[in-house]
């Protein structure tokens, strides 16, 4: 099993600098952003699509540091109804590029359409107790998601690439049941899951049981933790207290005119580095479960813990993940 990291947290550094950091942390796998919500400073997409020699030179950079490029990441909303958002096209381009590079996995999200034809704002419905919400879900699945993902399945098969979907709230696919629904509705052989436990924890899903339920539909895995705060005992884990970030503070763009917003000061939960939300024993069990599915499955750290600096947080996560892998006996 290869352990590595997603380099989005190191976008202020060159690719060589980022790879040197990961190598020095004892990591051997890397995931590079190819489109979607954020930019691609570590991946010259246009150049690599056009030039075989450029692709050869690019891959040689990873060999120099003894790190394998195991996935391209295109997390975004590929079903976004606003025509300014091009995440769907980004995903198609990422699959094509992965095929040309010989990379077997593209990581993304399932996406979220509008509630009805002509809408321009995504709408998430999860408890369709009223028939209006059931109508919404039927439209989103039948008329938008299934046609799009049937096309993606064909494209992925053509390029011999597997698309690993992060089961993420505010998407049609957010848990094992919805992941399996998408696979079944599209007759997919090249669509599966990227098992990121952080988005499962706060839904009260046990990631190990999720792995066991999905089995060989688990294509890839992320290492990111979640800390449930005491405040969740009062307000739960659903929270709308996010605020606008003033333009002068340059909020991170998410495509078109959309940006991230500011988290509540005291949220019900937070994304944290591996080991802060769940101990090494959990992570050893997590890695063991993944190893049973596929002994060669890469697991890449995604650092989003605001209490750490970028390299400090990566080191904290890497140390705990490596310790867990050694305890589980799965380290390559």
């Amino acid at each position: 099993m290869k352990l590595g990291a997603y380099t989005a947290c190191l976008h202020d550094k060159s690719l060589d600098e980022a790879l040197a950091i990961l190598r020095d942390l004892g990591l051997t796998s890397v995931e590079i952003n190819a489109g979607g919500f954020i930019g691609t400073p570590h991946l010259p997409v246009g150049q690599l699509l056009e030039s075989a020699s450029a692709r050869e030179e690019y891959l040689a950079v990873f060999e120099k540091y003894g790190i394998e490029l195991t996935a391209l990441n295109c997390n975004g909303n590929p079903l976004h109804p606003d025509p300014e958002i091009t995440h769907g096209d980004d995903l198609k381009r990422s699959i094509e590029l992965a095929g040309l590079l010989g990379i077997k996995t593209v990581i993304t999200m399932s996406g979220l359409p509008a509630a009805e034809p002509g809408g321009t704002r995504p709408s998430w419905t999860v408890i369709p107790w009223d028939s209006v919400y059931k109508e919404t879900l039927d439209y989103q699945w039948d008329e938008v998601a299934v046609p799009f993902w049937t096309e993606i399945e064909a494209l992925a098969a053509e390029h011999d690439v597997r698309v690993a979907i992060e089961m993420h709230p505010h998407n049609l696919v957010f848990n094992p049941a919805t992941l399996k629904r998408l696979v079944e509705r599209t007759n997919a052989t090249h669509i599966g899951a990227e098992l990121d436990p952080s988005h499962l924890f706060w839904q009260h899903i046990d990631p190990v049981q999720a792995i066991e339920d999905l089995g060989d539909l688990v294509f890839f895995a992320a290492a990111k933790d979640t800390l449930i705060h005491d405040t969740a005992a009062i307000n739960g884990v659903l929270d709308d207290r996010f605020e606008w970030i003033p333009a002068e503070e340059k909020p991170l763009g998410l495509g078109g005119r959309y940006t991230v917003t500011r988290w509540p000061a005291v949220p019900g939960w937070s994304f944290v580095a591996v080991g802060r939300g769940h101990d090494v024993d959990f992570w050893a069990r997590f890695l063991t479960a993944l190893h049973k599915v596929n002994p060669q499955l890469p697991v890449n750290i995604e650092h989003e813990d605001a209490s750490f600096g970028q390299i400090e947080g990566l080191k904290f996560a890497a140390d705990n993940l490596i310790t867990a892998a050694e305890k589980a006996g799965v380290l390559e």
Side-chain angles (χ1 to χ4, degrees):
M1 178 174 283
K2 284 186 174 291
L3 306 181
Y6 174 34
T7 65
C9 65
L10 298 173
H11 274 183
D12 62 327
K13 305 186 183 304
S14 70
L15 178 60
D16 280 274
E17 290 171 327
L19 294 177
I21 289 167
L22 302 191
R23 177 201 59 197
D24 293 346
L25 292 175
L27 301 173
T28 59
S29 167
V30 69
E31 180 181 327
I32 303 293
N33 205 68
F37 285 136
I38 59 177
T40 63
H42 292 161
L43 189 74
V45 176
Q47 182 182 358
L48 295 177
L49 283 170
E50 294 173 1
S51 170
S53 61
R55 293 192 291 273
E56 185 176 342
E57 292 172 6
Y58 183 73
L59 292 173
V61 176
F62 299 89
E63 294 176 10
K64 179 172 68 173
Y65 292 94
I67 294 178
E68 180 182 352
L69 176 56
T70 50
L72 300 184
N73 187 303
C74 190
N75 272 334
N77 184 354
L79 304 180
H80 203 296
D82 188 326
E84 290 187 18
I85 306 303
T86 61
H87 299 169
D89 291 336
D90 287 359
L91 175 58
K92 295 172 185 177
R93 187 169 56 248
S94 297
I95 292 169
E96 179 185 354
L97 180 55
L100 291 170
L101 287 168
I103 307 305
K104 295 302 182 184
T105 305
V106 170
I107 294 166
T108 190
M109 297 171 182
S110 65
L112 184 65
E116 57 190 348
T120 60
R121 298 175 187 271
S123 178
W124 193 41
T125 294
V126 290
I127 305 178
W129 64 273
D130 182 326
S131 64
V132 67
Y133 304 122
K134 185 65 175 136
E135 288 176 0
T136 294
L137 278 177
D138 287 349
Y139 161 72
Q140 291 177 318
W141 279 93
D142 297 346
E143 299 187 40
V144 184
V146 171
F148 176 84
W149 281 100
T150 298
E151 180 184 356
I152 294 298
E153 162 65 21
L155 184 67
E158 176 187 347
H159 291 283
D160 191 25
V161 170
R162 301 202 302 178
V163 180
I165 293 176
E166 181 178 347
M167 297 176 287
H168 194 300
H170 280 124
N171 284 262
L172 287 181
V173 170
F174 58 91
N175 62 11
T178 48
L179 189 283
K180 289 190 286 188
R181 182 188 305 162
L182 184 65
V183 170
E184 291 165 2
R185 292 287 307 275
T186 58
N187 296 310
T189 57
H190 288 70
I191 296 172
E194 187 226 19
L195 210 298
D196 182 340
S198 68
H199 298 289
L200 303 183
F201 285 135
W202 67 271
Q203 297 183 71
H204 288 243
I205 296 171
D206 180 347
V208 172
Q209 291 191 53
I211 295 166
E212 294 168 348
D213 180 74
L214 290 168
D216 59 9
L217 285 177
V218 178
F219 288 177
F220 211 88
K224 188 171 71 173
D225 213 338
T226 299
L227 181 62
I228 306 296
H229 300 290
D230 291 342
T231 50
I234 299 171
N235 290 319
V237 296
L238 303 180
D239 200 337
D240 69 350
R241 296 172 299 150
F242 287 66
E243 298 178 350
W244 292 107
I245 297 175
E248 58 269 23
E249 294 183 28
K250 298 180 179 178
L252 178 67
L254 297 175
R257 61 187 177 85
Y258 307 107
T259 67
V260 297
T261 53
R262 197 185 311 280
W263 278 69
V266 185
W269 55 273
S270 300
F271 292 135
V272 294
V274 171
R276 284 197 63 215
H278 297 78
D279 61 19
V280 166
D281 286 344
F282 163 80
W283 287 98
R285 290 193 296 109
F286 177 73
L287 296 176
T288 297
L290 292 171
H291 191 265
K292 288 179 180 177
V293 171
N294 179 358
Q296 277 74 52
L297 200 74
V299 181
N300 288 338
I301 295 164
E302 185 176 6
H303 173 41
E304 294 184 1
D305 190 331
S307 64
F308 285 113
Q310 55 185 176
I311 298 174
E312 178 190 21
L314 278 172
K315 183 178 188 314
F316 184 92
D319 288 348
N320 283 320
L321 193 63
I322 291 170
T323 299
E326 290 171 343
K327 184 170 186 174
V330 300
L331 196 59
E332 184 175 288

